[in-house]
Amino acid sequence: MEVVSTVAELRARVSGWKRAGESVGLVPTMGALHAGHMSLATASRGECARTVLTIFVNPTQFAPHEDLTRYPRPLERDLDLCQREGVDLVFTPAVEEVYPPGDSTFVEVTGITKNWEGELRPSHFRGVATVVTKLFLMALPDRAYFGQKDFQQQAVIRRMTRDLHLPLEIVTCPIVRDADGLALSSRNVYLSPGDRQAGLCLPRSLKHVEELWRNGERDPARLTRELRSVLAAEPRMSLNYGVLVDPMTLEEATTPRNELVALVAGRVGQTRVLDNTWLRMSASDHQGGN
Ligand code: AMP
């Protein structure tokens, strides 16, 4: 495994592979790697000849009051995990490599960035869309891997990739959870045992609506009420939103439909936690329908 930090080195490696006819998968991360990140690398390894994992704590997606400076950066441990996973190349650029001094160009996705995380973190998706576009253009991968854990983020990246005709495929991978059900996140290290216990109301609320969905409930208003009643039972959760949305538009759903995503997010103590579940018709529903 090689570790490089300049765009020139990254491009030299990737273009060598491409000339040899090898496909390239890209896994963008901010480091502090856990099994969720590694599942993206595993998916890439399964589908692409070469896997590039990037570690870059992107300053433009943090607001001034957020945790940019204290965000965990255990680089040695991260590199060890990448090595064991069989990652071919790790790209760890400095901020100036990604954002040349005096730069003034950003990528802005409108519409689906308006609500939820976009409303709570006004410049967040501009930072994400900008850095992901840069990483795509730096590495020119055939596929790029993102987690469903950040549902709105993968929707924004899909939309941006389509709108800008970026020549790669976006792959969204399932949420990886700890044994207690909490979705893995680099920020979980901030949670005290009590915070963590409170955070479990997110997966609990999602399981509850999954169960209702399996039993045939399709009314978004009823599902939303049920979702929120589980969340409201946890006094330590300061809820940001608990909603049922259309998976493509990210607009709140008001009429019954065959596909919905339940998005939940809030704060426990000082830490934000988010989670979601994708409610779809199962294959047997399709067979049984008309
Ligand atoms: P981050 O380092 O938090 O920016 O995350 C990098 C990538 O890993 C993003 O595509 C996330 O959606 C994905 N990811 C983070 N946590 C998980 C998880 N628990 N399961 C699956 N993917 C995840």
Side-chain angles (χ1 to χ4, degrees), residues 27-40 54 56 61 71 145-151 153-154 157 173-178 182-187:
V27 180
T29 82
M30 299 207 299
L33 301 178
H34 51 63
H37 297 115
M38 298 332 285
S39 75
L40 308 183
T54 71
F56 179 62
Q61 71 189 68
Y71 197 84
Y145 294 81
F146 295 89
Q148 185 196 315
K149 157 84 186 344
D150 300 282
F151 191 88
Q153 172 173 280
Q154 63 81 41
I157 290 163
C173 299
I175 301 174
V176 177
R177 299 176 178 284
D178 256 328
L182 197 69
L184 293 178
S185 163
S186 303
R187 290 190 168 97

Side-chain angles (χ1 to χ4, degrees), residues 26 52 67 76 103 126 140 145 192 197 258:
L26 182 76
V52 179
D67 57 344
E76 285 311 311
D103 72 322
R126 186 171 98 143
L140 296 174
Y145 294 81
S192 70
Q197 207 51 43
N258 291 334

Side-chain angles (χ1 to χ4, degrees), residues 111-245:
I112 55 170
T113 55
K114 181 173 67 124
N115 296 325
W116 326 128
E117 289 307 291
E119 186 179 0
L120 287 155
R121 308 178 71 189
S123 59
H124 175 68
F125 284 124
R126 186 171 98 143
V128 169
T130 301
V131 79
V132 170
T133 303
K134 285 170 180 269
L135 292 170
F136 285 176
L137 295 174
M138 289 169 181
L140 296 174
D142 298 286
R143 297 192 183 88
Y145 294 81
F146 295 89
Q148 185 196 315
K149 157 84 186 344
D150 300 282
F151 191 88
Q152 191 173 13
Q153 172 173 280
Q154 63 81 41
V156 169
I157 290 163
R158 281 178 180 278
R159 180 66 59 86
M160 171 191 98
T161 302
R162 189 202 68 172
D163 291 355
L164 296 178
H165 305 276
L166 298 175
L168 76 159
E169 185 190 336
I170 304 299
V171 181
T172 304
C173 299
I175 301 174
V176 177
R177 299 176 178 284
D178 256 328
D180 60 6
L182 197 69
L184 293 178
S185 163
S186 303
R187 290 190 168 97
N188 288 356
V189 295
Y190 303 147
L191 297 171
S192 70
D195 292 342
R196 201 183 159 93
Q197 207 51 43
L200 288 176
C201 72
L202 297 188
R204 197 181 307 126
S205 70
L206 298 174
K207 271 195 169 310
H208 181 54
V209 294
E210 282 167 6
E211 173 79 30
L212 294 168
W213 180 266
R214 263 197 306 278
N215 292 335
E217 182 58 70
R218 295 288 181 271
D219 175 13
R222 170 94 203 286
L223 291 164
T224 306
R225 266 200 311 279
E226 292 287 332
L227 183 76
R228 289 183 187 163
S229 75
V230 178
L231 296 165
E234 175 49 68
R236 294 192 54 195
M237 171 62 63
S238 162
L239 192 68
N240 296 132
Y241 53 83
V243 281
L244 274 292
V245 302

